[in-house]
């Protein structure tokens, strides 16, 4: 039986739950925004684009937070959303255009500043871009979060052994490319 | 690195990446200066890659990102956020609907029907019976068959705040699905000798426009 009183009680519960959700999201926002931004930046290498993607990823995460039963998976979930959005963004023609503009700026800076370091970094990013996606994600997250296998495994929701072998392979390929 | 050292090249690479050196490789490195130098070069390069990658990704978003996210998160919610002042009209509307439901089942005199007019709801009164309606003469203790009464279904229009129509629609659906106990209909009340007319009921929530959408002069320019 569903009477008006019960429906109003349900409304009150819904309202309380939405406040709880906002509170929880706010608590996660500081740390999570950096993670989302860095993941996006590792793909896009352009701050404005990375911020746009991070914002979109965080909004999507918030909108779907109530459906995430295991909140321990929030960071892994956010990494996946950010990564996919950034990849999609990079594939867009707009992104390519911006990237070319950014490359020109980077070249000018490298001439003024430390040319060798910039050149190395550029080669490194090219080598990272050439990695297959499963290796690229591990390499980039290792750069962001460090090489703690259990943490990377939790973020990627993969067995530690898989993460370890992928990370090793990714670093080996980078080493071979940058010799 | 000589030709004979090539067999150790991959092992040197692996060792530079942190894998333990085999006894064979350790023995070779003790004897081979070029391979030791190669190992040191590889180890330096690995260290540089790690440092460069870490530095490149130790970027922080601008301070504007968090306000942007907060704004983006709250903007779509502002229109549908629950608030107690907004719940009051809903409560009144639901109470009105409940009243109508109760009234529907109560005995009512056939010749003089007065439509219910709750305070917070705009209810469209039932249409007067058409001349062709054949109302049977009440007989005490007998069930009146619904087929003998031809009547347009009642349709109540209830004003609800924006975004709350779904809630009311759910309530109406619950009524229709008989999850809410419906009062008996179509049964003659032997005591009052009055007829209870069976009626189908439809509740149509009306969205109240936001004040921003309302023309202050009350003139619709469309």
């Amino acid at each position: 039986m569903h009477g008006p009183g019960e429906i109003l009680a349900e409304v009150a519960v819904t309202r309380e739950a939405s406040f709880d959700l906002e509170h929880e999201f706010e608590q996660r926002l500081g740390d999570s925004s950096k993670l989302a931004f860095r993941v996006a930046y590792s793909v896009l290498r352009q701050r404005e684009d990375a911020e746009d993607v991070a914002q979109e990823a965080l909004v999507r995460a918030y909108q779907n937070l109530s459906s995430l039963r295991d909140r321990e998976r929030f960071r892994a979930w956010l990494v996946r959303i950010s990564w996919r959005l950034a990849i999609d963004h990079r594939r867009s023609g707009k992104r390519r255009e911006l990237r070319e503009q950014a490359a020109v700026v980077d070249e000018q800076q490298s001439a003024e500043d430390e040319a060798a370091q910039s050149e190395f970094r550029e080669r490194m990013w090219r080598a990272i871009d050439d990695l297959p996606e499963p290796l690229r994600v591990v390499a980039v997250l290792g750069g962001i979060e460090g090489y703690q296998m259990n943490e990377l495994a939790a973020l990627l929701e993969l067995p530690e052994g898989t993460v370890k072998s992928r990370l090793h392979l990714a670093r080996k390929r980078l080493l071979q490319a940058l010799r | 690195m000589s030709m004979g050292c090539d067999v150790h090249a991959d092992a040197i690479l692996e060792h530079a990446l942190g894998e333990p050196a085999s006894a064979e490789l350790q023995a070779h490195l003790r004897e081979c200066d070029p391979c030791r130098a190669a190992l040191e070069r590889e180890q330096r390069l690995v260290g540089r890659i790690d440092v460069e990658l870490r530095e490149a990704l130790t970027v922080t978003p601008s301070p504007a990102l968090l306000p942007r996210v907060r704004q983006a998160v709250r903007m779509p919610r502002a229109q549908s956020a629950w608030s107690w002042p907004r719940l009051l009209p809903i409560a009144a509307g639901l109470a009105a609907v409940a009243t109508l439901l109760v009234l529907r089942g109560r005995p009512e005199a056939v010749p003089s029907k007065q439509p219910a007019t709750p305070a917070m709801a705009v209810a469209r009164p039932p249409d007067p019976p058409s001349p062709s309606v054949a109302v049977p003469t009440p007989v005490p203790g007998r069930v009146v068959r619904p087929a003998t009464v031809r009547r347009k279904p009642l349709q109540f229009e209830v004003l609800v705040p924006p975004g709350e129509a779904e809630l009311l629609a759910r309530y109406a659906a619950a009524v229709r699905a008989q999850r809410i106990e419906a009062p008996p209909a179509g049964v003659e009340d032997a005591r009052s000798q009055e007829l209870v007319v069976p009626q189908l009921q439809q509740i149509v929530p009306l969205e109240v426009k936001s004040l921003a959408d309302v023309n202050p002069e009350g003139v619709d320019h469309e």
Side-chain angles (χ1 to χ4, degrees):
Chain A
M1 303 288 271
H2 291 69
E6 288 171 68
I7 293 182
L8 282 175
E10 191 183 327
V11 168
V13 169
T14 307
R15 183 171 172 269
E16 192 176 335
S18 85
F19 280 149
D20 289 346
L21 207 65
E22 280 186 23
H23 182 64
E24 181 187 346
F25 185 71
E26 186 63 35
Q27 281 185 323
R28 293 179 184 273
L29 196 55
D31 178 49
S32 303
S33 62
K34 278 184 194 159
L35 180 61
F37 173 74
R38 286 172 181 169
V39 168
Y41 184 84
S42 73
V43 176
L44 301 167
R45 259 96 73 194
Q46 221 269 344
R47 293 186 66 92
E48 289 77 12
D49 285 6
E51 283 196 7
D52 288 347
V53 166
Q55 177 185 333
E56 193 175 343
L58 287 161
V59 170
R60 285 194 190 188
Y62 173 75
Q63 286 168 345
N64 296 291
L65 184 59
S66 58
S67 66
L68 184 69
R69 290 186 182 175
D70 182 3
R71 299 300 165 83
E72 295 297 313
R73 293 177 52 219
F74 180 79
R75 279 165 58 83
W77 193 49
L78 184 63
V79 164
R80 206 157 44 237
I81 296 173
S82 306
W83 182 268
R84 295 289 5 136
L85 285 175
I87 294 283
D88 290 346
H89 196 80
R90 190 170 69 168
R91 282 180 185 146
S92 70
K94 184 183 167 190
R95 167 62 202 152
R96 267 197 300 279
E97 193 181 313
L98 288 170
R99 200 174 170 194
E100 282 162 11
Q101 290 170 0
V104 173
V105 174
D106 284 347
E107 281 168 17
Q108 289 167 351
Q109 284 174 342
S110 68
E112 294 164 6
D113 304 321
E114 299 170 12
Q117 190 180 359
S118 280
E119 193 230 330
F120 180 84
R121 192 169 282 190
E122 207 171 305
R123 283 176 56 215
M124 182 186 74
W125 281 121
R126 270 203 297 272
I128 288 172
D129 284 345
D130 288 341
L131 291 174
E133 189 168 323
L135 302 187
R136 194 157 26 116
V137 178
V138 177
V140 160
L141 279 181
I144 294 172
E145 295 286 302
Y147 295 139
Q148 292 295 320
M149 288 305 143
N150 55 345
E151 288 177 15
L152 286 181
L155 271 182
L156 292 163
E157 298 187 313
L158 289 170
E160 276 190 41
T162 306
V163 173
K164 189 176 179 184
S165 64
R166 285 187 186 179
L167 183 62
H168 182 78
L169 194 54
R171 293 173 78 213
K172 188 174 178 180
R173 292 207 187 172
L174 287 180
L175 185 56
Q176 288 168 330
L178 293 169
R179 272 170 166 169
Chain B
M1 200 181 287
S2 67
M3 288 287 285
C5 297
D6 287 348
V7 292
H8 298 291
D10 195 56
I12 288 172
L13 198 66
E14 296 283 344
H15 188 43
L17 287 164
E19 292 294 306
S22 64
E24 188 186 355
L25 179 63
Q26 285 178 17
H28 179 74
L29 287 172
R30 275 195 295 273
E31 295 168 0
C32 183
D33 290 342
C35 282
R36 258 202 320 277
L39 174 63
E40 285 170 10
R41 271 200 309 276
E42 302 284 22
Q43 285 173 329
R44 277 200 299 274
L45 187 54
V46 168
R48 187 172 182 191
I49 292 170
D50 290 345
V51 168
E52 287 287 340
L53 191 57
R54 200 162 41 243
E55 280 183 5
L57 291 172
T58 314
V59 283
T60 49
S62 72
L65 179 61
L66 290 188
R68 275 171 60 191
V69 172
R70 288 189 187 106
Q71 191 183 5
V73 158
R74 282 170 188 155
M75 194 173 288
R77 295 177 60 80
Q79 292 175 350
S80 61
W82 298 104
S83 59
W84 288 111
R86 298 181 73 183
L87 282 177
L88 290 175
I90 304 175
L94 288 173
V97 171
T99 308
L100 288 171
L101 286 171
V102 171
L103 287 175
R104 189 193 70 165
R106 288 178 60 185
E108 52 188 336
V110 174
S112 60
K113 279 205 184 92
Q114 294 299 323
T117 53
M120 294 299 291
V122 177
R124 183 182 297 162
D127 294 336
S130 64
S132 63
V133 169
V135 180
T137 309
V139 178
R142 287 190 59 189
V143 174
V144 177
R145 296 184 186 282
T148 59
V149 178
R150 292 175 189 170
R151 198 171 255 276
K152 281 182 69 178
L154 289 180
Q155 193 172 67
F156 294 99
E157 295 181 344
V158 182
L159 288 173
V160 292
E164 319 303 3
E166 189 191 352
L167 182 67
L168 193 54
R170 282 174 52 203
Y171 181 77
V175 171
R176 279 196 293 275
Q178 294 183 340
R179 281 186 287 141
I180 295 178
E181 194 174 336
V187 179
E188 184 187 351
D189 188 329
R191 287 170 301 175
S192 64
Q193 298 292 309
E194 289 175 339
L195 182 67
V196 179
V197 181
Q199 295 167 1
L200 291 173
Q201 182 168 293
Q202 290 184 343
I203 299 171
V204 182
L206 290 178
E207 287 278 357
V208 179
K209 284 189 176 178
S210 161
L211 284 177
D213 300 332
V214 176
N215 185 340
E217 296 173 3
V219 179
D220 191 356
H221 294 291
E222 287 183 357

